[in-house]
Amino acid sequence: MFPEPYDPGRSAFSLLKRFAVGAVVIFTLSAATVASAVLLEVGEVSSIIKDESVPLAVQVRSQLQDVAPGKPQTILVIGDDRRKIDVQQGNPTRSDTMILVRLDAKKGATAMMSLPRDLLVDIPGHGRDKLNSAFAIGEDALTLKTIRSLLGIPIHHYVRVTFWGFRQAVDRLGCVYADIDRRYFNDNNPPNGGGGAYAAIDVPSGYQKLCGQRALDYVRYRHLDSDLVRAARQQSFLGEAKGQIGVSGVFSDRKTLLRIFARSVRTDIRSSRSILSLLKLVAESSSKPVAEVQFPALDAGDGSGNVLISDPSLHATVERFLDARATKGARGTTPVSVGAKRAARRAPHARRASTATAPGLVAARAAGEDEAARLQVKLPSLPVFAPRLLATGGRYRTDYARAYTIADRGGQRHRAYRIVAFEGSIGQYYGVQGTTWKSPPILDDPSERRRIAGRTYELFYDGGRLRLVAWRTPSGVYWVSNTLLRTLTNRQMLAIARSSARV
């Protein structure tokens, strides 16, 4: 048994962690209802935003490039992590999230790319520092200038949003079912806490319904995590939200949602012309999938928590973003823990299983069955499946596994369980989920169905990398979830799913 990686703490920059990318959901989905009725209300939409939102400074607007209606547009979304009390007291602002959204009706997808806040960059006039420092030093104008210089692409719109709008929007939209990879917990009080002043949180593992505050807690979590993992978690939540929130519901509640959006943002999207231009583009792009373009930064490896990207990798990433195609690889890499490295060195002496089809996995039938047996006694109505393969250097997190009940949107309750495995790298967990709920939203629209050895698997891809492999039985549905950075290969995901059997 080896310890999980420990994050020794962060500087004052990192203590305030607030995430507010919900504005993307609100604005994009509001725009995605672009039937003729919405286009007729452009004037009213513009009026709401003008009345409720704070205008951008001239220095920011001057850096945004004009674009004709229907032409490709790139939107930079900045999450302002200040609480209302910080605004009242004049406390310094921080940025917790930086996301670029690319709308191009001629491409196969809408591109979304998170920029790591701890990415080391050249800040114009201030030398080399983490990207988040640009916001701390010069807020909107310097952040926009730094990102334009880094990527070398024009940015057409800027949205700066505060986190309280995210919480209100998620509640108003009816919450989101999310696949939570592990338990997220911190209370800052003895005996369970008492360290750094990280935000309090208690979100258990497993597929579940997240509403405003719990959704906010989940996406803003940073303790014992990395910038790359947090960005991947935010993208995953946003992707699930987009897939679940119906257009009709957004349309019927559009005025309230727009007011929530407007009160929590600073943006240049205020005039009837800019709104009409964006609505037209979203109308043409709304049927396209969202491509989560990975930003393949690497940990600096010096214990600072900073990340780096080489010039060739940066150039290739920008090209993928502009071309709106996700890549086939993992979303990023994080350092492997000391324990995982030791286990990997021991692996050649262990009995390997299915190495011809899934290198990087070892046989661990007894460990998987032990996890399943503890859950099976609590679930008489749901057979528990457990994998017989485990990632090399990984281990099961028994303290994160659980049997529980989940309610669907109609209020009907279903039994469920989650088995959690630590993959061996910081923040990387995968798991096996089972539930008697036969139609959870996460299993809508599989990318592919494949029949293997008498079992039909439903495959769900993130670009070319499997994010989920599911199968069904008369008693329930089951799936294997990849890590947030998609570090398990497609062969490994299929091998783990194929090895899963009833206790």
Side-chain angles (χ1 to χ4, degrees), residues 2 97 102 124 141 176 201 221 244 289 315 402-403 422 425 451:
F2 50 87
T97 300
R102 174 79 173 178
V176 174
I201 180 175
Y221 180 86
Q244 294 172 40
H315 177 75
R402 69 179 184 125
F422 173 52
S425 300
R451 186 78 174 174

Side-chain angles (χ1 to χ4, degrees), residues 145-164:
K145 187 175 183 179
T146 301
I147 291 175
R148 287 180 57 198
S149 175
L150 172 71
L151 302 180
I153 61 175
I155 296 176
H156 305 98
H157 296 296
Y158 183 92
V159 179
R160 171 177 166 181
V161 56
T162 52
F163 84 94
W164 56 79

Side-chain angles (χ1 to χ4, degrees), residues 285-329:
S285 306
S286 59
S287 62
K288 308 290 181 63
V290 173
E292 298 178 8
V293 180
Q294 60 177 286
F295 195 90
L298 300 173
D299 192 281
D302 57 3
S304 66
N306 295 330
V307 295
L308 304 165
I309 187 169
S310 66
D311 289 340
S313 292
L314 179 61
H315 177 75
T317 301
V318 171
E319 289 299 314
R320 286 195 298 270
F321 176 71
L322 295 177
D323 203 25
R325 295 176 184 174
T327 61
K328 296 183 178 181

Side-chain angles (χ1 to χ4, degrees), residues 457-484:
Y457 295 96
E458 298 176 6
L459 309 183
F460 299 80
Y461 288 90
D462 175 6
R465 184 63 65 102
L466 278 171
R467 64 176 176 84
L468 190 145
V469 178
W471 66 96
R472 300 174 183 271
T473 74
S475 301
V477 296
Y478 304 84
W479 63 85
V480 175
S481 296
N482 207 335
T483 68
L484 286 171

Side-chain angles (χ1 to χ4, degrees), residues 152-225:
I153 61 175
I155 296 176
H156 305 98
H157 296 296
Y158 183 92
V159 179
R160 171 177 166 181
V161 56
T162 52
F163 84 94
W164 56 79
F166 172 85
R167 182 177 59 210
Q168 294 175 356
V170 171
D171 281 341
R172 190 77 189 187
L173 290 167
C175 310
V176 174
Y177 285 95
D179 194 44
I180 310 302
D181 57 330
R182 52 131 166 163
R183 187 188 184 195
Y184 291 85
F185 177 81
N186 182 58
D187 68 0
N188 290 323
N189 296 306
N192 298 313
Y198 292 93
I201 180 175
D202 190 1
V203 177
S205 66
Y207 192 64
Q208 60 193 278
K209 186 177 183 179
L210 293 184
C211 296
Q213 186 58 51
R214 285 168 66 81
L216 179 62
D217 290 343
Y218 171 66
V219 297
R220 75 184 184 185
Y221 180 86
R222 186 180 179 85
H223 190 37
L224 300 180
D225 216 335

Side-chain angles (χ1 to χ4, degrees), residues 122-414:
D122 293 320
I123 301 176
H126 296 275
R128 193 163 179 80
D129 205 339
K130 63 176 63 178
L131 180 57
N132 188 46
S133 296
F135 193 83
I137 296 168
E139 296 201 15
D140 306 303
L142 187 57
T143 301
L144 182 56
K145 187 175 183 179
T146 301
I147 291 175
R148 287 180 57 198
S149 175
L150 172 71
L151 302 180
I153 61 175
I155 296 176
H156 305 98
H157 296 296
Y158 183 92
V159 179
R160 171 177 166 181
V161 56
T162 52
F163 84 94
W164 56 79
F166 172 85
R167 182 177 59 210
Q168 294 175 356
V170 171
D171 281 341
R172 190 77 189 187
L173 290 167
C175 310
V176 174
Y177 285 95
D179 194 44
I180 310 302
D181 57 330
R182 52 131 166 163
R183 187 188 184 195
Y184 291 85
F185 177 81
N186 182 58
D187 68 0
N188 290 323
N189 296 306
N192 298 313
Y198 292 93
I201 180 175
D202 190 1
V203 177
S205 66
Y207 192 64
Q208 60 193 278
K209 186 177 183 179
L210 293 184
C211 296
Q213 186 58 51
R214 285 168 66 81
L216 179 62
D217 290 343
Y218 171 66
V219 297
R220 75 184 184 185
Y221 180 86
R222 186 180 179 85
H223 190 37
L224 300 180
D225 216 335
S226 75
D227 199 42
L228 297 175
V229 175
R230 188 179 67 260
R233 186 168 61 250
Q234 293 168 356
Q235 283 192 335
S236 293
F237 181 87
L238 186 58
E240 293 193 48
K242 182 180 183 296
Q244 294 172 40
I245 298 170
V247 168
S248 61
V250 173
F251 180 74
S252 64
D253 207 17
R254 62 194 179 280
K255 292 181 181 179
T256 299
L257 290 170
L258 279 168
R259 286 192 174 91
I260 292 173
F261 169 79
R263 290 168 186 167
S264 60
V265 304
R266 292 184 184 181
T267 180
D268 67 293
I269 310 172
R270 298 166 61 83
S271 68
S272 296
R273 178 182 179 278
S274 62
I275 291 171
L276 182 61
S277 173
L278 188 58
L279 289 176
K280 182 178 186 299
L281 181 58
V282 175
E284 297 171 350
S285 306
S286 59
S287 62
K288 308 290 181 63
V290 173
E292 298 178 8
V293 180
Q294 60 177 286
F295 195 90
L298 300 173
D299 192 281
D302 57 3
S304 66
N306 295 330
V307 295
L308 304 165
I309 187 169
S310 66
D311 289 340
S313 292
L314 179 61
H315 177 75
T317 301
V318 171
E319 289 299 314
R320 286 195 298 270
F321 176 71
L322 295 177
D323 203 25
R325 295 176 184 174
T327 61
K328 296 183 178 181
R331 290 171 164 173
T333 59
T334 58
V336 177
S337 71
V338 173
K341 290 179 179 177
R342 291 173 179 168
R345 287 197 295 267
R346 292 196 302 266
H349 304 291
R351 183 171 62 88
R352 293 181 178 272
S354 303
T355 53
T357 57
L361 301 179
V362 296
R365 176 173 180 172
E369 289 181 348
D370 286 346
E371 293 294 306
R374 281 186 284 267
L375 297 170
Q376 187 66 82
V377 297
K378 304 175 183 179
L379 296 166
S381 63
L382 176 63
V384 175
F385 281 69
R388 298 178 178 181
L389 299 175
L390 184 66
T392 302
R395 65 182 174 98
Y396 288 109
R397 286 299 305 259
T398 302
D399 52 338
Y400 289 170
R402 69 179 184 125
Y404 63 103
T405 299
I406 183 173
D408 59 29
R409 293 200 182 276
Q412 185 175 351
R413 297 169 70 82
H414 308 272

